[in-house]
Amino acid sequence: MLGATYVKRHPRTGGYYFRRRVPDHLKPSIGTVEIIRSLATKSLDEAKRLSRPLADATDALFEEAEGLGGSERVSQPEGWHSDFITN
């Protein structure tokens, strides 16, 4: 299932979150090593469903960063919360 590889379960709370590593060559443009966001659910099926748009959004972010060639930092996409891209 698409996005399922980015779904992780928190060991203490049992809730799921989205986690995706930023490719090494894009780290300067994106400004972080990973992208993490709570999915606010304890249901694996729901977490997988919620992770799909986040996987698509990170794909788009990576494509934008590729287009910049590492020369400048990408802006946070509209509609993303400030906690989406973490340092």
Side-chain angles (χ1 to χ4, degrees), residues 6-66:
Y6 308 121
V7 174
K8 307 295 178 192
R9 187 168 185 233
H10 193 280
R12 287 188 304 238
T13 67
Y16 288 93
Y17 61 96
F18 175 89
R19 179 187 176 276
R20 188 165 184 187
R21 186 180 137 323
V22 174
D24 290 338
H25 69 286
L26 298 179
K27 289 176 186 175
S29 292
I30 295 177
T32 189
V33 297
E34 62 185 3
I35 298 171
I36 301 172
R37 176 122 186 235
S38 171
L39 297 171
T41 185
K42 292 187 178 185
S43 164
L44 179 57
D45 289 337
E46 179 76 359
K48 288 177 182 178
R49 186 185 67 75
L50 293 170
S51 73
R52 284 187 206 121
L54 297 176
D56 291 343
T58 54
D59 284 343
L61 180 69
F62 295 165
E63 286 178 24
E64 180 183 351
E66 284 282 353

